[in-house]
Amino acid sequence: MIEVSEIKGIKGLYAFKAMQTLLFSYFMLPEFRQPKESYTEFLKRFSEMTEEEQREIFKTSLYFAGIDENEILAICCFAKDINGVSYQKANLASLEIEELFDIIIDVCMEIVKIRVFF
């Protein structure tokens, strides 16, 4: 597990929107979509899943979603490396894809804990 700092500010909003893009991308895949399920219903179903199931959804969605570099950076800046230093563009460049997936998934798991009221 990656250490994740408090998610807030403009980058926090970018990270939240990127997480939503990942979830929506998964929702749009016909093989994973429930018949006649709305996105709101999917989010409710997602919130009732185990952490392992949620992590698997994020992993699957990373294969298909189109999140841009700024969104990836916004997500990853909330994670810290083994030395406690927040990830930035320079130190992300040398990571393996699997490591990036782990960081993105760990931060997204923290973002889903944030409750947004409309």
Side-chain angles (χ1 to χ4, degrees), residues 27-77:
F27 170 74
M28 293 305 293
L29 296 169
E31 66 186 271
F32 301 118
R33 194 172 187 180
Q34 301 291 321
K36 299 187 181 195
E37 180 180 48
S38 71
Y39 185 60
T40 302
E41 292 166 332
F42 166 72
L43 291 177
K44 183 177 184 325
R45 182 167 57 95
F46 176 83
S47 70
E48 295 169 351
M49 293 177 182
T50 65
E51 182 177 328
E52 185 177 313
E53 291 171 319
Q54 290 176 343
R55 293 179 77 80
E56 192 60 34
I57 283 176
F58 282 123
K59 183 177 180 180
T60 301
S61 65
L62 278 166
Y63 292 123
F64 302 103
I67 56 176
D68 67 30
E69 182 179 350
N70 288 332
E71 291 171 315
I72 293 169
L73 292 172
I75 289 173
C76 293
C77 78

Side-chain angles (χ1 to χ4, degrees), residues 7-16 73-75 77-78 88:
I7 299 166
K8 60 183 181 179
I10 300 283
K11 286 192 178 188
L13 181 58
Y14 266 108
F16 179 83
L73 292 172
I75 289 173
C77 78
F78 292 103
Q88 299 298 319

